[in-house]
Amino acid sequence: MEAGDVDATLASASDFLAKLIRLELDGLPSHEKRFFDLLQTQSHQNLAALGTHLQQAQREIRDRMELVNQSLAETEFNKGTFLRIEVSDRLLPEVVEFKQMIRQSLSHAFEADREISEQRFLIIRELVNRLSSQETAEKRWQESVLDVRQHVEFIGRELDQDGREIEVYRSGAGKSGGQRQKLATTCLAAALRY
C-alpha cells in the first residue's frame, strides 16, 4: 500500500531505497527470523501435541471398551450368547481433512526452505482461524474434529459360545425397540460393573 505511489522506474529508485532503509531500521529482518524460528519450533510442538492428544484419547476409548467387553463376556446377552462391542473409525470427511492438515503442517517442520515454511504457515493459519472462530458453523466443525467420541462408532456383535457371530448391532439401527432397550441395558450394566 505504501509503495502504491511509486512506479517501477529508475526515477523511483530513491523512494524504494528509503523504504528499504526504514524496514531495516524497524528490524523487519530480525522479526522475520524470529517468526520462522517460532514457526519451526512452537507450531511443531503444539500441533504434534494436539495430534498426540487425539490419538491417545481414541486409544483410551478402545482400552476402556476392552474392560467393558471383559464384563460383557461374563453375562449372557441371549440364551447361550454373549455381546462384544467393537470400536470402529467413522472416517468423517472433516476429521480426515483435519488430521491431514495437521500432518501437512508437521511435515518439513525443520526445513530451512522459506517457501516450504510459508506453505506450512498458510495451513497453520487456516487451522488456527478455524479453531478459534466463534461462528456457529465453525463451532460445529471444532466439536466434530476435536471430540474423539464422534470419531468412532460402536458395533455390537452377538457371539455364541464358540465365537460365531449371531447378530450385528450398529447403533441400534433396524432393531425393534425392545431389542435396542435390551442392548442398551446390557451395555450400561457392563459399563457400570466396569
Side-chain angles (χ1 to χ4, degrees), residues 92-106:
L92 299 171
E94 61 269 16
V95 174
V96 171
E97 178 188 19
F98 177 67
K99 289 179 178 179
Q100 182 179 355
M101 287 178 79
I102 290 176
R103 278 192 302 277
Q104 285 176 338
S105 65
L106 291 174

Side-chain angles (χ1 to χ4, degrees), residues 54-71:
L54 293 174
Q55 289 174 343
Q56 285 177 330
Q58 204 163 356
R59 192 171 33 252
E60 284 177 15
I61 289 172
R62 293 178 191 282
D63 292 346
R64 288 178 180 164
M65 194 50 62
E66 279 307 311
L67 294 170
V68 171
N69 279 326
Q70 290 173 11
S71 184

Side-chain angles (χ1 to χ4, degrees), residues 42-139:
Q42 285 193 358
S43 66
H44 177 77
Q45 291 169 353
N46 293 332
L47 286 171
L50 176 61
T52 300
H53 172 73
L54 293 174
Q55 289 174 343
Q56 285 177 330
Q58 204 163 356
R59 192 171 33 252
E60 284 177 15
I61 289 172
R62 293 178 191 282
D63 292 346
R64 288 178 180 164
M65 194 50 62
E66 279 307 311
L67 294 170
V68 171
N69 279 326
Q70 290 173 11
S71 184
L72 284 171
E74 297 174 10
T75 308
E76 280 192 341
F77 182 64
N78 283 318
K79 184 130 177 97
T81 66
F82 298 89
L83 191 63
R84 175 159 182 79
I85 307 294
E86 293 179 359
V87 181
S88 174
D89 291 331
R90 288 182 63 196
L91 299 177
L92 299 171
E94 61 269 16
V95 174
V96 171
E97 178 188 19
F98 177 67
K99 289 179 178 179
Q100 182 179 355
M101 287 178 79
I102 290 176
R103 278 192 302 277
Q104 285 176 338
S105 65
L106 291 174
S107 70
H108 307 291
F110 298 106
E111 188 78 36
D113 185 335
R114 292 289 171 102
E115 188 174 316
I116 292 174
S117 294
E118 287 179 13
Q119 290 171 355
R120 284 185 60 241
F121 170 73
L122 294 175
I123 294 169
I124 292 168
R125 182 176 65 183
E126 182 182 347
L127 281 171
V128 169
N129 287 340
R130 291 194 80 183
L131 289 170
S132 63
S133 175
Q134 297 301 311
E135 299 288 325
T136 304
E138 293 299 330
K139 284 188 172 216

Side-chain angles (χ1 to χ4, degrees), residues 132-175:
S132 63
S133 175
Q134 297 301 311
E135 299 288 325
T136 304
E138 293 299 330
K139 284 188 172 216
R140 278 195 295 273
W141 177 83
Q142 292 162 13
E143 186 175 320
S144 175
V145 299
L146 295 176
D147 185 354
V148 293
R149 296 173 298 179
Q150 295 185 36
H151 300 185
V152 296
E153 69 176 331
F154 300 97
I155 301 167
R157 298 193 186 277
E158 185 176 356
L159 307 171
D160 67 11
Q161 292 175 343
D162 296 325
R164 287 186 300 246
E165 189 172 277
I166 305 298
E167 184 73 60
V168 176
Y169 302 92
R170 288 187 172 267
S171 303
K175 306 299 178 197

Side-chain angles (χ1 to χ4, degrees), residues 3-21:
D5 59 337
V6 182
D7 58 11
T9 62
L10 190 55
S12 297
S14 62
D15 291 332
F16 278 113
L17 286 174
K19 292 182 188 310
L20 176 61
I21 290 168

